Amino acid sequence: MEDDAPVIYGLEFQARALTPQTAETDAIRFLVGTQSLKYDNQIHIIDFDDENNIINKNVLLHQVGEIWHISASPADKGVLATCYNKTSDSKVLTCAAVWRMPKELESGSHESPDDSSSTTQTLELLCHLDNTAHGNMACVTWEPMGDGKKIISLADNHILLWDLQESSSQAVLASSASLEGKGQLKFTSGRWSPHHNCTQVATANDTTLRGWDTRSMSQVYCIENAHGQLVRDLDFNPNKQYYLASCGDDCRVKFWDTRNVTEPVKTLEEHSHWVWNVRYNHSHDQLVLTGSSDSRVILSNMVSISSEPFGHLVDDEDLSDQEEHQQEENKEPLQDSVIATYEEHEDSVYAVDWSSADPWLFASLSYDGRLVVNRVPRALKYHILL
C-alpha cells in the first residue's frame, strides 16, 4: 500500500548536488554529492524501495573535492559527471570530470546492503573536461536521449561541447562559444533541450536566458532581464517544444515561450526567498517542482500552459451527441494552483528532481544534508490518470 508520507534520509554532510540516475528506468534511484572541507567528499547512491517505504544507500568516495553539481549519463547507468572545487596554488578552481561507478552498483536493487559489506568504494575517473583555458565549471549537461557521448559544460563565459571518445576515457572539445559584452559574464546554469532533434541548449547568465544551436554554437534567442535578479536554474517542458521555465533570486518562477520572448507566459510568486531549482515532471508537464532558500519545496499544477490544458484528452467516440455538445460548452482551461507545499526541510533547498523511474515520486535536498523523498498526492495522481 503506497503511503503519501515523506521518507527522510540524513547524509551527515552538507550537500547541494542531486540528480536522478537518468538511465535507470526500473528502480527509483538518486545520486547526491556532498560538500565537506574537512573530510573526503562522497557520492551517496540512494535507492528508494517503494514497497517498504525505505531508503537503501551506497557510498562512493569522491576524493578530488566538494561537489557543486552532479549529472548522470542518459545512456549508461554507471556513468556520471561532477563539477567540484579543487585548490591549487591557494586558488580554488571548479573543475569537471566524468566518472564510472563500480559495476556491482550500476543497477538499483531492492536488497538492503548487509552492513558489514557496505564499505565505501571509489569512483573510477574516466576523463577530465579540461578547463585550464576556460575558467570555473558551473555545470555539465548531457545530450538527452543520446548515446551518452555528447556533453556540454559551462565554464565562466564559455559554452563548451565535448565528444566523449575511447569508451569515455577522452573528452575532445568539439566546438565552443563565448558570451561577449561588458561586465562579469558568467554562466550559472544550462539545460539541453529534448526537442529540435537535441540541437538546442538554454543557458542562464546574470538575469538573461539564451538559446544556443549546438550545430553552429550560435544564439537562437535571448531573453534579457528574464528575472529581476540572478537566474538560478531553468528546465524545458518535455512535451511542448518552445516552452521553458526559469527561476531566480527575485523569488519568482517564470514560464516562457521562446518564440515570443518579450514577456513570460506565466509567473509564479509563491516562494519568499531565492528559488534555486525548477523541474518539470517528465510525463505530466503540468506538474512543476521548485525548491528555495525559504526551506520549502512547492509542487504546482501549471495546467493552463501544459500539453493538456483541458484535463486529459477524452476520446470523442465514447461520447453521445448530447454529451459531446455539453463538453464543447465546458471547454474552459483548468485553473493553475499550488498542489502542495512541503515543509520537511529546515535549511535552504538547493535541489529538487523527479525520479526517472516513477513519475509520481520526487526528491529534494537541503544544504544540511537532508534528502526527502515525496510523492504527488494520491488524489491528484488519480485525478490526472482517471
Side-chain angles (χ1 to χ4, degrees), residues 22 69-76 79-82 97-99 126 140-152 164 168 191-193:
T22 321
H69 185 266
I70 186 168
S71 53
S73 163
D76 187 329
V79 173
L80 57 121
T82 59
V98 180
W99 310 87
L126 292 178
V140 171
T141 176
W142 299 76
E143 179 185 32
M145 284 95 81
D147 55 5
K149 297 291 174 233
K150 274 198 168 66
I151 49 181
I152 275 185
L164 297 182
S168 302
R191 296 287 274 185
W192 200 316
S193 169

Side-chain angles (χ1 to χ4, degrees), residues 283-300:
S283 310
H284 309 284
D285 57 276
Q286 65 267 48
L287 302 178
V288 177
L289 269 181
T290 50
S292 158
S293 301
D294 63 12
S295 307
R296 295 184 304 163
V297 174
I298 294 181
L299 175 61
S300 301

Side-chain angles (χ1 to χ4, degrees), residues 355-376:
S355 160
S356 49
D358 179 343
W360 308 105
L361 195 127
F362 58 92
S364 53
L365 176 68
S366 51
Y367 190 52
D368 54 8
R370 183 178 297 184
L371 180 88
V372 181
V373 177
N374 262 303
R375 293 188 180 85
V376 173

